[in-house]
């Protein structure tokens, strides 16, 4: 009956006995490592060196992890502020009993806000250029990182898609299910590959990098449009909001899309930026 369905039941990590190396954490490691390499090439093109590279790596890592965690708690699990506040910033659960969980519950919208704030301080304190200048460039490694984060979600059997109602799909055995769902995480990862290719091409192969905010705007429109439409085939992350016409992720994506459209079509987009 389910001859075309894929049964997905991997381990969530490598058990060392005293410690579990989680594949989701490894996906972040791959994302940051590849991002460092991509940003190194970009900064070299802009005649910048190790000082700027080391700084942006530190700014980005802290912004992504802190922003993503706070974003998840604020947008999806605000009760933690009262019930278990230490678990918000530490990789452990303290209520009802202590348990090392790793960094779980990370929201991409929070990460995006965190990176934008971090790039404001980076542009002001390190490169001494307009914030949009660095945002036009940081979106390239950010887009590539999104691919691996969604693959990590798939490995963890989280942020799942809705049932397909057919033999097509993925059966997530870790959830105790026997019916196929849309592998929404993989759909999203594949779309992020396309987003990455587009922003990479705009920066390296066209003069759009000279138009302040243009590449960042394209990134916002493409990435958050992907998120908006794929949310239609995802299960709601907050059960009480399942009946909403648009879910939390979609409502949070709309402002990013509108900002992106403004940056693309604003009148002074054609003002060149010297590098």
């Amino acid at each position: 009956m389910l001859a075309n369905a894929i049964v997905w039941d991997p381990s969530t990590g490598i058990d060392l006995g005293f410690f579990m190396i989680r594949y989701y954490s490894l996906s972040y490691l791959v994302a940051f490592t590849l991002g460092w390499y991509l940003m190194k090439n970009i900064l070299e093109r802009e005649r910048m060196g190790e000082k700027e590279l080391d700084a942006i790596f530190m700014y980005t890592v802290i912004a992504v992890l802190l922003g993503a965690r706070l974003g998840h708690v604020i947008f999806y699990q605000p009760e933690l502020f009262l019930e278990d506040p230490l678990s918000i910033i530490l990789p452990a659960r303290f209520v009802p009993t202590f348990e090392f969980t790793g960094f779980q519950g990370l929201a991409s919208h929070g990460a995006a806000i965190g990176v934008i704030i971090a790039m404001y301080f980076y542009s002001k304190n390190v490169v001494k250029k307009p914030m949009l200048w660095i945002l036009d460039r940081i979106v390239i490694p950010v887009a590539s990182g999104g691919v691996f984060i969604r693959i990590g979600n798939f490995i963890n059997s989280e942020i799942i898609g809705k049932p397909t109602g057919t033999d097509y799909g993925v059966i997530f055995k870790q959830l105790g299910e026997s019916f196929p769902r849309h592998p929404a995480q993989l759909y999203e990862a594949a779309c992020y590959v396309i987003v990455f290719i587009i922003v990479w091409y705009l920066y390296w192969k066209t003069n759009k990098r000279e138009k302040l905010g243009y590449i960042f705007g394209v990134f916002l429109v493409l990435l958050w449009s992907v998120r908006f439409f794929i949310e239609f085939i995802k299960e709601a992350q907050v059960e009480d909001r399942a009946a909403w016409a648009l879910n939390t992720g979609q409502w949070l994506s709309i402002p990013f899309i509108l900002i992106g459209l403004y940056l693309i079509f604003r009148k002074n987009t054609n003002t060149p930026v010297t590098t």
Side-chain angles (χ1 to χ4, degrees):
M1 178 180 176
L2 297 175
N4 297 324
I6 297 173
V7 177
W8 185 247
D9 188 23
S11 63
T12 58
I14 303 171
D15 191 353
L16 301 179
F18 62 93
F19 185 73
M20 171 75 79
I21 301 177
R22 298 184 180 276
Y23 293 128
Y24 186 57
S25 299
L26 289 178
S27 70
Y28 267 86
L29 179 61
V30 172
F32 284 131
T33 301
L34 178 58
W36 178 89
Y37 175 77
L38 292 168
M39 205 64 209
K40 177 176 182 292
N41 290 337
I42 291 170
L43 292 180
E44 285 178 350
R45 178 176 190 165
E46 306 295 346
R47 297 182 176 86
M48 296 182 183
E50 291 185 4
K51 173 188 173 183
E52 291 81 7
L53 179 63
D54 291 344
I56 199 169
F57 183 76
M58 182 170 295
Y59 274 77
T60 304
V61 170
I62 294 174
V64 167
L65 294 178
L66 186 59
R69 182 59 183 153
L70 288 175
H72 172 82
V73 175
I74 292 170
F75 300 138
Y76 297 101
Q77 209 174 1
E79 65 273 12
L80 285 182
F81 283 111
L82 295 176
E83 296 176 359
D84 193 7
L86 286 177
S87 70
I88 296 173
I89 57 174
L90 296 175
R93 181 185 298 117
F94 297 87
V95 177
T97 58
F98 176 83
E99 178 186 356
F100 181 82
T101 60
F103 286 104
Q104 296 180 340
L106 304 173
S108 56
H109 293 91
I113 295 171
V115 168
I116 291 172
I117 294 172
M119 291 306 102
Y120 167 77
F121 291 103
Y122 177 80
S123 64
K124 183 177 181 180
N125 298 326
V126 182
V127 294
K128 313 295 184 182
K129 290 180 179 289
M131 182 174 70
L132 286 174
W133 183 90
I134 191 60
L135 287 173
D136 283 333
R137 288 147 179 81
I138 194 68
V139 294
I140 298 173
V142 167
S144 70
V147 176
F148 295 98
I149 302 309
R150 283 296 177 252
I151 292 174
N153 294 140
F154 179 74
I155 293 174
N156 271 6
S157 300
E158 60 190 7
I159 311 183
I160 56 175
K162 294 179 179 179
T164 62
T166 68
D167 288 352
Y168 164 79
V170 174
I171 300 173
F172 292 98
K173 295 293 288 186
Q174 291 179 7
L175 304 180
E177 298 177 345
S178 59
F179 56 88
R181 295 179 175 272
H182 285 285
Q185 313 97 320
L186 298 185
Y187 298 162
E188 203 166 340
C191 290
Y192 290 168
V193 171
I194 297 172
V195 175
F196 166 74
I197 291 172
I198 291 173
V199 294
W200 181 93
Y201 180 84
L202 288 174
Y203 175 78
W204 285 101
K205 302 298 182 180
T206 75
N207 66 351
K208 297 298 185 182
R209 65 184 178 277
E210 299 174 1
K211 300 176 181 179
L212 194 64
Y214 184 89
I215 298 177
F216 179 54
V218 170
F219 168 82
L220 290 179
V221 172
L222 291 178
L223 184 131
W224 297 112
S225 292
V226 167
R227 178 68 184 271
F228 181 89
F229 288 108
I230 289 184
E231 287 293 324
F232 282 115
I233 58 170
K234 285 183 184 177
E235 293 285 8
Q237 294 187 55
V238 180
E239 187 175 349
D240 293 342
R241 306 174 190 174
W244 289 11
L246 299 178
N247 65 29
T248 305
Q250 290 172 312
W251 283 114
L252 292 172
S253 296
I254 291 173
F256 287 105
I257 296 171
L258 294 177
I259 293 170
L261 290 171
Y262 167 75
L263 291 172
I264 293 171
F265 295 109
R266 63 180 180 154
K267 291 182 179 179
N268 64 341
T269 298
N270 292 323
T271 302
V273 177
T274 56
T275 60

